[in-house]
PDB file of all heavy atoms in Angstrom:
ATOM      1  N   LEU A  18      11.339  22.927  -8.023  1.00 98.00           N
ATOM      2  CA  LEU A  18      12.191  23.148  -6.859  1.00 98.00           C
ATOM      3  C   LEU A  18      13.572  23.531  -7.366  1.00 98.00           C
ATOM      4  O   LEU A  18      13.978  23.123  -8.463  1.00 98.00           O
ATOM      5  CB  LEU A  18      12.324  21.878  -6.016  1.00 98.00           C
ATOM      6  CG  LEU A  18      11.191  21.472  -5.078  1.00 98.00           C
ATOM      7  CD1 LEU A  18      11.510  20.122  -4.439  1.00 98.00           C
ATOM      8  CD2 LEU A  18      10.968  22.518  -4.001  1.00 98.00           C
ATOM      9  N   ARG A  19      14.300  24.284  -6.547  1.00 98.00           N
ATOM     10  CA  ARG A  19      15.699  24.548  -6.847  1.00 98.00           C
ATOM     11  C   ARG A  19      16.543  24.039  -5.688  1.00 98.00           C
ATOM     12  O   ARG A  19      16.403  24.521  -4.557  1.00 98.00           O
ATOM     13  CB  ARG A  19      15.971  26.023  -7.075  1.00 98.00           C
ATOM     14  CG  ARG A  19      17.394  26.273  -7.601  1.00 98.00           C
ATOM     15  CD  ARG A  19      17.690  27.708  -7.907  1.00 98.00           C
ATOM     16  NE  ARG A  19      18.036  28.479  -6.736  1.00 98.00           N
ATOM     17  CZ  ARG A  19      18.792  29.571  -6.751  1.00 98.00           C
ATOM     18  NH1 ARG A  19      19.292  30.002  -7.900  1.00 98.00           N
ATOM     19  NH2 ARG A  19      19.035  30.236  -5.637  1.00 98.00           N
ATOM     20  N   LEU A  20      17.392  23.085  -5.992  1.00 98.00           N
ATOM     21  CA  LEU A  20      18.325  22.570  -4.996  1.00 98.00           C
ATOM     22  C   LEU A  20      19.613  23.379  -5.039  1.00 98.00           C
ATOM     23  O   LEU A  20      20.060  23.790  -6.115  1.00 98.00           O
ATOM     24  CB  LEU A  20      18.637  21.099  -5.252  1.00 98.00           C
ATOM     25  CG  LEU A  20      17.451  20.140  -5.289  1.00 98.00           C
ATOM     26  CD1 LEU A  20      17.952  18.708  -5.448  1.00 98.00           C
ATOM     27  CD2 LEU A  20      16.579  20.282  -4.068  1.00 98.00           C
ATOM     28  N   SER A  21      20.190  23.570  -3.875  1.00 98.00           N
ATOM     29  CA  SER A  21      21.467  24.263  -3.769  1.00 98.00           C
ATOM     30  C   SER A  21      22.493  23.331  -3.142  1.00 98.00           C
ATOM     31  O   SER A  21      22.160  22.504  -2.292  1.00 98.00           O
ATOM     32  CB  SER A  21      21.332  25.512  -2.893  1.00 98.00           C
ATOM     33  OG  SER A  21      20.412  26.421  -3.438  1.00 98.00           O
ATOM     34  N   CYS A  22      23.728  23.498  -3.571  1.00 98.00           N
ATOM     35  CA  CYS A  22      24.840  22.735  -3.008  1.00 98.00           C
ATOM     36  C   CYS A  22      25.929  23.743  -2.662  1.00 98.00           C
ATOM     37  O   CYS A  22      26.531  24.331  -3.574  1.00 98.00           O
ATOM     38  CB  CYS A  22      25.335  21.709  -4.006  1.00 98.00           C
ATOM     39  SG  CYS A  22      26.820  20.801  -3.493  1.00 98.00           S
ATOM     40  N   ALA A  23      26.135  23.968  -1.381  1.00 98.00           N
ATOM     41  CA  ALA A  23      27.197  24.862  -0.931  1.00 98.00           C
ATOM     42  C   ALA A  23      28.488  24.067  -0.809  1.00 98.00           C
ATOM     43  O   ALA A  23      28.509  23.008  -0.167  1.00 98.00           O
ATOM     44  CB  ALA A  23      26.826  25.475   0.414  1.00 98.00           C
ATOM     45  N   VAL A  24      29.559  24.570  -1.412  1.00 97.00           N
ATOM     46  CA  VAL A  24      30.815  23.823  -1.502  1.00 97.00           C
ATOM     47  C   VAL A  24      31.920  24.617  -0.818  1.00 97.00           C
ATOM     48  O   VAL A  24      32.146  25.786  -1.151  1.00 97.00           O
ATOM     49  CB  VAL A  24      31.181  23.544  -2.967  1.00 97.00           C
ATOM     50  CG1 VAL A  24      32.383  22.605  -3.046  1.00 97.00           C
ATOM     51  CG2 VAL A  24      30.003  22.975  -3.734  1.00 97.00           C
ATOM     52  N   SER A  25      32.636  23.979   0.078  1.00 96.00           N
ATOM     53  CA  SER A  25      33.643  24.669   0.893  1.00 96.00           C
ATOM     54  C   SER A  25      35.002  24.680   0.218  1.00 96.00           C
ATOM     55  O   SER A  25      35.969  24.124   0.750  1.00 96.00           O
ATOM     56  CB  SER A  25      33.754  24.009   2.273  1.00 96.00           C
ATOM     57  OG  SER A  25      34.296  22.702   2.128  1.00 96.00           O
ATOM     58  N   VAL A  26      35.085  25.327  -0.944  1.00 93.00           N
ATOM     59  CA  VAL A  26      36.356  25.474  -1.641  1.00 93.00           C
ATOM     60  C   VAL A  26      36.487  26.923  -2.077  1.00 93.00           C
ATOM     61  O   VAL A  26      35.485  27.601  -2.299  1.00 93.00           O
ATOM     62  CB  VAL A  26      36.474  24.537  -2.860  1.00 93.00           C
ATOM     63  CG1 VAL A  26      36.475  23.082  -2.407  1.00 93.00           C
ATOM     64  CG2 VAL A  26      35.370  24.794  -3.867  1.00 93.00           C
ATOM     65  N   SER A  27      37.733  27.374  -2.230  1.00 92.00           N
ATOM     66  CA  SER A  27      37.931  28.764  -2.635  1.00 92.00           C
ATOM     67  C   SER A  27      37.747  28.952  -4.136  1.00 92.00           C
ATOM     68  O   SER A  27      37.317  30.010  -4.580  1.00 92.00           O
ATOM     69  CB  SER A  27      39.319  29.226  -2.203  1.00 92.00           C
ATOM     70  OG  SER A  27      40.313  28.392  -2.771  1.00 92.00           O
ATOM     71  N   ARG A  28      38.057  27.916  -4.929  1.00 93.00           N
ATOM     72  CA  ARG A  28      37.935  28.004  -6.381  1.00 93.00           C
ATOM     73  C   ARG A  28      36.973  26.937  -6.868  1.00 93.00           C
ATOM     74  O   ARG A  28      37.366  25.857  -7.295  1.00 93.00           O
ATOM     75  CB  ARG A  28      39.291  27.870  -7.058  1.00 93.00           C
ATOM     76  CG  ARG A  28      40.242  29.026  -6.826  1.00 93.00           C
ATOM     77  CD  ARG A  28      39.699  30.323  -7.388  1.00 93.00           C
ATOM     78  NE  ARG A  28      39.412  30.254  -8.795  1.00 93.00           N
ATOM     79  CZ  ARG A  28      40.279  30.624  -9.749  1.00 93.00           C
ATOM     80  NH1 ARG A  28      41.479  31.055  -9.411  1.00 93.00           N
ATOM     81  NH2 ARG A  28      39.924  30.565 -11.011  1.00 93.00           N
ATOM     82  N   LEU A  29      35.683  27.250  -6.816  1.00 94.00           N
ATOM     83  CA  LEU A  29      34.678  26.274  -7.225  1.00 94.00           C
ATOM     84  C   LEU A  29      34.817  25.924  -8.707  1.00 94.00           C
ATOM     85  O   LEU A  29      34.502  24.798  -9.122  1.00 94.00           O
ATOM     86  CB  LEU A  29      33.274  26.825  -6.940  1.00 94.00           C
ATOM     87  CG  LEU A  29      32.102  25.917  -7.299  1.00 94.00           C
ATOM     88  CD1 LEU A  29      32.183  24.599  -6.547  1.00 94.00           C
ATOM     89  CD2 LEU A  29      30.784  26.628  -7.013  1.00 94.00           C
ATOM     90  N   ASP A  30      35.338  26.857  -9.497  1.00 93.00           N
ATOM     91  CA  ASP A  30      35.458  26.608 -10.933  1.00 93.00           C
ATOM     92  C   ASP A  30      36.482  25.520 -11.242  1.00 93.00           C
ATOM     93  O   ASP A  30      36.518  25.029 -12.374  1.00 93.00           O
ATOM     94  CB  ASP A  30      35.793  27.898 -11.683  1.00 93.00           C
ATOM     95  CG  ASP A  30      37.002  28.616 -11.123  1.00 93.00           C
ATOM     96  OD1 ASP A  30      37.258  28.511  -9.913  1.00 93.00           O
ATOM     97  OD2 ASP A  30      37.686  29.307 -11.911  1.00 93.00           O
ATOM     98  N   TYR A  31      37.290  25.124 -10.264  1.00 94.00           N
ATOM     99  CA  TYR A  31      38.244  24.043 -10.478  1.00 94.00           C
ATOM    100  C   TYR A  31      37.608  22.660 -10.323  1.00 94.00           C
ATOM    101  O   TYR A  31      38.257  21.647 -10.602  1.00 94.00           O
ATOM    102  CB  TYR A  31      39.395  24.133  -9.481  1.00 94.00           C
ATOM    103  CG  TYR A  31      40.376  25.258  -9.712  1.00 94.00           C
ATOM    104  CD1 TYR A  31      41.409  25.474  -8.804  1.00 94.00           C
ATOM    105  CD2 TYR A  31      40.272  26.109 -10.798  1.00 94.00           C
ATOM    106  CE1 TYR A  31      42.328  26.509  -8.994  1.00 94.00           C
ATOM    107  CE2 TYR A  31      41.182  27.142 -10.997  1.00 94.00           C
ATOM    108  CZ  TYR A  31      42.211  27.332 -10.082  1.00 94.00           C
ATOM    109  OH  TYR A  31      43.111  28.358 -10.259  1.00 94.00           O
ATOM    110  N   TYR A  32      36.367  22.625  -9.857  1.00 95.00           N
ATOM    111  CA  TYR A  32      35.751  21.362  -9.472  1.00 95.00           C
ATOM    112  C   TYR A  32      34.621  20.937 -10.399  1.00 95.00           C
ATOM    113  O   TYR A  32      33.826  21.769 -10.845  1.00 95.00           O
ATOM    114  CB  TYR A  32      35.202  21.454  -8.041  1.00 95.00           C
ATOM    115  CG  TYR A  32      36.285  21.442  -7.004  1.00 95.00           C
ATOM    116  CD1 TYR A  32      37.025  22.584  -6.736  1.00 95.00           C
ATOM    117  CD2 TYR A  32      36.591  20.278  -6.314  1.00 95.00           C
ATOM    118  CE1 TYR A  32      38.053  22.568  -5.799  1.00 95.00           C
ATOM    119  CE2 TYR A  32      37.610  20.251  -5.376  1.00 95.00           C
ATOM    120  CZ  TYR A  32      38.326  21.401  -5.129  1.00 95.00           C
ATOM    121  OH  TYR A  32      39.337  21.367  -4.199  1.00 95.00           O
TER     122      TYR A  32
END
Side-chain angles (χ1 to χ4, degrees):
L18 282 175
R19 189 177 81 154
L20 303 184
S21 299
C22 174
V24 188
S25 67
V26 295
S27 58
R28 292 297 302 266
L29 181 59
D30 53 330
Y31 288 176
Y32 287 78

